[in-house]
């Protein structure tokens, strides 16, 4: 399987690592959309949020535990946004589940 985020999680493809544990990997987005823009992914290959089941959902809890810690460590006490684009019409370009952790500026709502 040719998955760029699997390669990053394994360390085969270089990235700026922010956090790692047995099941979760986090790294800086290569094309940041805010002063802090970190991607948090399961090490296991899950295509998107549409593929989360009772069999694999525990890693999502681990991801959000990591997100809270990463946001704290990044000093995002004023707030931050977590986004997961799912599918083509939502703009998902990498078909390995990932959560964007965005911070360091104000965000509008609703998103575009
Ligand atoms: P999506 O568009 O699927 O929601 O998000 C994919 C994100 O992955 C984009 O923000 C894009 O900048 C980022 N990205 C794509 N390829 C790479 C890469 O090789 N390294 C890093 N660090 N980020 C990447
Ligand atoms: Zn993958």
């Amino acid at each position: 399987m040719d998955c760029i985020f699997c390669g990053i999680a394994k360390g085969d493809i270089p990235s700026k690592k922010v956090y790692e544990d047995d099941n979760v990997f986090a790294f800086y987005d290569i094309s940041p959309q805010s002063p802090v823009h970190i991607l948090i992914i399961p090490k296991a290959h899950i295509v998107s949020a549409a593929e989360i089941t009772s069999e694999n959902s525990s890693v999502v809890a681990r991801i959000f535990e990591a997100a809270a810690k990463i946001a704290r460590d990044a000093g995002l006490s004023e707030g931050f946004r977590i986004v997961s684009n799912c599918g083509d019409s939502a703009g998902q370009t990498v078909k390995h589940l990932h959560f964007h952790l965005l911070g360091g500026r104000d965000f509008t709502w609703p998103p575009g």
Side-chain angles (χ1 to χ4, degrees):
M1 186 178 32
D2 194 22
C3 173
I4 190 164
F5 284 3
C6 282
I8 286 175
K10 286 193 196 108
D12 295 342
I13 295 171
S15 69
K16 280 177 67 185
K17 182 167 84 172
V18 177
Y19 173 89
E20 181 175 16
D21 64 30
D22 287 349
N23 302 300
V24 175
F25 195 88
F27 55 102
Y28 285 100
D29 196 292
I30 204 167
S31 174
Q33 302 303 310
S34 52
V36 177
H37 186 173
I38 292 164
L39 300 173
I40 312 175
I41 66 172
K43 287 186 172 177
H45 184 81
I46 300 170
V47 171
S48 74
E51 306 295 322
I52 295 169
T53 67
S54 57
E55 305 298 310
N56 63 21
S57 63
S58 61
V59 73
V60 179
R62 302 287 93 78
I63 284 170
F64 275 80
E65 290 163 18
K69 177 178 163 29
I70 292 165
R72 249 187 333 266
D73 291 350
L76 301 178
S77 55
E78 300 296 310
F80 55 90
R81 180 169 288 178
I82 295 176
V83 177
S84 186
N85 298 319
C86 178
D88 291 335
S89 55
Q92 183 182 8
T93 58
V94 178
K95 302 303 198 251
H96 178 127
L97 177 65
H98 52 280
F99 294 85
H100 299 258
L101 171 57
L102 300 145
R105 66 169 171 86
D106 292 336
F107 298 96
T108 56
W109 191 261

